């Protein structure tokens, strides 16, 4: 039997909504599992991505760890896919790009309503925030883009089944949404 | 015998004084556009309707139709250019469709869908732009303005008010409001003015009605902009 296609997934500055939408392919997941094996993903809890055929990236880049993970995926995945509005254009997290980072942190951790023990987190293990949230194509080369907030389960299905069948993936009009 | 042009090999009649866009629309041929609206003087600014006329590129909304012209609109090169132009519009402003109440009814988004634009290609500007909510009934979100000048033209040509103008050049270009404070609330625009309803994006919105039609049931959720534009514009109303 031929080796299975290895797929890795991760969420950077995203809400995991794209992963939830992926799971909405429902029982088709069993059909997918016949030809696909998951590497790093929330399903497997593997910490680092290894050699893979397809990497699905949800979320934009908002901190130093996001940059690191994204580069690791690019290094290890033959095909890298930007999944969802945040990965494609920064999405709603990028709406903070017009607010000074210090003001942003103060609002969240010092001045916010109901904040107790007000302090800006400064543990050295926390990844450093970037001044702005960026779409992932600004950091590494991306091979395919699946827009949507989130892309529907049918988008994931159409894209993956096209790719697995050796066809150039194509999304019909009704599957392309930016919202 | 009537005069004709050909668009992508198809013979199309036109009457004297018509632009290529007008002749095409009347014949049911869609040429992508954003700043063009048949109810207003053509502006030729968005460049989406760029076509090749006898081997030279020009904007179909401003170029007069002339007998025997050979127009190419659907070549691979022009479609690629149109996608790049649309991508530039997206990265120059701040177009976050999931957070915009115009989503599904937005012509910029619909043109992008039509062009099968799946990404923005260029690095984003994330330009600092303001929101003007000073008017009781109308909102301007400058983040979404694409400088099509339809509000400028509508205010001048239909409302007779000159509420809007474009100021500055290049990256400093911005929409300005004709009032002492520069705020919309201090201008004489009214919620019933054409200028308040003509915006092809979510830059000028009427307050308190954004979600009356749920997302997923809006115009371009089900119909491509070429169908919608031809339906509306052939009747002489730009919607």
């Amino acid at each position: 039997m031929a080796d299975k296609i290895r797929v890795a997934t991760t969420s950077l500055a995203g809400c995991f909504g794209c992963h939830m939408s992926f799971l909405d392919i429902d029982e088709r997941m069993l059909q997918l599992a016949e030809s696909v094996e998951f590497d790093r993903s929330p399903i497997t809890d593997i910490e680092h991505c290894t050699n893979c055929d397809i990497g699905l990236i949800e979320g934009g880049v908002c901190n130093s760890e996001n940059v690191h993970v994204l580069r690791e995926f690019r290094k290890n995945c033959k095909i890298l896919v930007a999944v969802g509005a945040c990965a494609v254009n920064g999405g709603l997290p990028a709406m903070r790009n017009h607010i000074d980072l210090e003001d942003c942190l103060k609002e969240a951790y010092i001045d916010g309503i109901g904040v107790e023990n007000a302090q800006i987190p400064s543990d050295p293990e926390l990844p450093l925030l970037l001044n702005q949230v960026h779409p992932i194509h600004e950091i590494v080369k991306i091979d395919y883009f699946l827009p949507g907030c989130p892309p529907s389960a049918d988008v994931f299905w159409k894209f993956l089944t096209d790719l697995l069948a050796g066809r150039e993936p194509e999304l019909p009009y009704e599957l392309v949404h930016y919202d | 015998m009537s005069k004709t042009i050909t668009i992508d090999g198809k013979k199309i009649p036109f009457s004297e004084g018509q632009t290529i866009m007008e002749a095409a629309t009347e014949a049911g041929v869609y040429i992508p556009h954003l700043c063009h609206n048949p109810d207003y003087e053509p502006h030729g600014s968005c460049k989406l309707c760029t076509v090749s006329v006898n081997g030279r590129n020009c904007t179909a909304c401003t170029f007069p139709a002339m007998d025997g012209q050979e127009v190419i609109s659907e070549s691979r090169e022009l479609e690629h250019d149109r996608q790049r132009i649309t991508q530039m519009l997206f990265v120059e402003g701040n177009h976050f469709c999931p957070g915009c109440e115009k989503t599904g009814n937005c012509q910029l988004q619909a043109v992008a869908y039509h062009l099968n634009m799946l990404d923005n290609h260029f690095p984003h500007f994330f330009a600092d732009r303001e929101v003007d909510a000073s008017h009781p009934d109308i909102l301007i979100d400058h983040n979404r303005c694409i400088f099509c000048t339809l509000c400028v033209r509508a205010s001048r040509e239909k409302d007779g008010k000159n509420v809007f103008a474009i100021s500055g050049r290049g990256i400093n270009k911005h929409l300005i409001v004709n009032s002492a404070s520069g705020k919309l609330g201090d201008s004489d625009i009214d919620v019933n003015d054409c200028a308040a309803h003509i915006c092809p994006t979510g830059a000028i919105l009427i307050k308190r009605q954004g979600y009356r039609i749920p997302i997923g049931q809006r115009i371009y959720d089900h119909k491509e902009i070429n169908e919608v534009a031809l339906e509306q514009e052939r009747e002489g109303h730009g919607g």
Side-chain angles (χ1 to χ4, degrees):
Chain A
M1 185 182 142
D3 286 344
K4 286 187 173 182
I5 301 290
R6 289 184 69 79
V7 175
T9 77
T10 192
S11 178
L12 306 177
C15 69
F16 267 104
C18 295
H19 274 86
M20 300 310 291
S21 190
F22 184 23
L23 290 177
D24 276 345
I25 65 171
D26 298 333
E27 71 275 9
R28 290 175 289 185
M29 188 63 87
L30 299 173
Q31 197 182 328
L32 193 65
E34 286 171 14
S35 50
V36 159
E37 186 178 358
F38 283 98
D39 186 83
R40 176 184 165 150
S41 105
I43 298 167
T44 58
D45 208 21
I46 293 169
E47 204 169 329
H48 290 283
C49 164
T50 54
N51 286 342
C52 287
D53 300 288
I54 304 168
L56 302 173
I57 310 268
E58 168 197 337
V61 175
C62 81
N63 65 32
S64 56
E65 193 213 6
N66 293 158
V67 177
H68 179 81
V69 171
L70 182 55
R71 286 184 173 154
E72 185 178 275
F73 264 70
R74 179 68 280 179
K75 194 175 149 193
N76 288 307
C77 299
K78 287 177 195 155
I79 293 170
L80 205 56
V81 189
V83 176
C86 303
V88 172
N89 60 25
L92 298 194
M95 291 178 94
R96 83 150 160 90
N97 287 356
H98 311 287
I99 303 165
D100 184 78
L101 190 54
E102 196 179 340
D103 291 342
C104 216
L105 290 167
K106 274 187 184 160
E107 181 62 31
Y109 294 105
I110 308 282
D111 304 325
I113 294 166
V115 170
E116 288 176 20
N117 234 342
Q119 57 179 311
I120 292 175
S122 60
D123 192 293
E125 286 203 6
L126 287 174
L128 285 172
L129 286 176
L130 307 182
N131 280 340
Q132 291 195 320
V133 179
H134 293 272
I136 63 175
H137 77 269
E138 294 184 15
I139 316 293
V140 298
K141 182 187 182 299
I142 301 299
D143 302 295
Y144 292 101
F145 296 82
L146 304 181
C149 185
S152 66
D154 287 340
V155 170
F156 283 97
W157 183 249
K158 177 75 168 61
F159 175 79
L160 286 172
T161 48
D162 274 356
L163 212 56
L164 294 174
R167 292 188 295 266
E168 187 59 25
E170 271 183 31
L171 298 177
Y173 182 82
E174 60 270 20
L175 288 187
V176 178
H177 282 276
Y178 299 163
D179 53 22
Chain B
M1 199 176 138
S2 66
K3 296 176 175 177
T4 58
I5 59 176
T6 63
I7 300 182
D8 298 324
K10 186 181 168 188
K11 248 188 180 172
I12 285 172
F14 70 95
S15 25
E16 203 61 45
Q18 273 190 322
T19 60
I20 292 172
M21 178 71 85
E22 285 165 344
T25 304
E26 212 169 289
V29 174
Y30 173 73
I31 300 174
H33 56 273
L34 283 168
C35 75
H36 167 74
N37 181 310
D39 293 347
Y40 301 98
E41 280 290 309
H43 193 249
S45 59
C46 78
K47 306 296 178 201
L48 263 179
C49 70
T50 298
V51 289
S52 166
V53 181
N54 295 341
R56 293 178 65 184
N57 283 2
C58 64
T59 47
C61 71
T62 57
F63 208 77
M66 283 179 276
D67 198 24
Q69 262 171 349
E70 293 227 1
V71 180
I72 296 168
S73 174
E74 289 190 354
S75 70
R76 211 171 151 177
E77 287 83 0
L78 286 168
E79 280 172 358
H80 181 263
D81 289 350
R82 287 181 189 139
Q83 194 177 90
R84 285 285 182 264
I85 288 166
T86 312
Q87 286 166 325
M88 283 192 267
L89 289 172
F90 268 83
V91 301
E92 186 182 339
N94 297 299
H95 298 277
F96 297 115
C97 298
C100 178
E101 63 185 60
K102 192 74 178 278
T103 188
N105 288 334
C106 169
Q107 290 174 29
L108 173 65
Q109 186 189 58
V111 158
Y113 289 168
H114 176 78
L115 297 169
N116 196 30
M117 187 186 111
L118 301 180
D119 72 307
N120 293 350
H121 183 78
F122 299 103
H124 282 248
F125 281 31
F126 294 125
D128 282 327
R129 304 234 196 128
E130 288 180 352
V131 174
D132 178 353
S134 58
H135 194 283
D137 301 315
I138 308 163
L139 173 89
I140 302 185
D141 187 338
H142 289 277
N143 288 292
R144 301 167 187 155
C145 179
I146 56 167
F147 313 111
C148 68
T149 76
L150 277 168
C151 59
V152 179
R153 286 176 277 164
S155 185
R156 184 179 62 221
E157 294 171 28
K158 298 272 184 202
D159 305 329
K161 290 189 179 178
N162 280 317
V163 170
F164 298 104
I166 301 290
S167 176
R169 286 182 175 275
I171 192 67
N172 296 316
K173 185 167 57 181
H174 58 291
L175 182 69
I176 54 170
V177 171
N178 185 9
S179 68
S181 64
K183 293 287 181 192
L184 197 64
D186 296 325
S187 76
D188 58 354
I189 193 169
D190 183 83
V191 69
N192 297 313
D193 287 355
C194 293
H197 299 269
I198 195 72
C199 182
T201 74
I204 300 179
L205 295 169
I206 307 301
K207 291 182 179 177
R208 298 178 295 281
Q209 58 170 245
Y211 293 97
R212 279 189 185 162
I213 300 171
I215 291 170
Q217 296 177 23
R218 298 179 177 187
I219 307 168
Y220 303 112
D221 289 333
H222 302 286
K223 273 184 145 178
E224 283 207 48
I225 194 167
N226 52 336
E227 288 176 69
V228 176
L230 287 174
E231 270 173 29
Q232 291 176 347
E233 294 171 13
R234 288 175 84 178
E235 292 159 11
H237 303 291

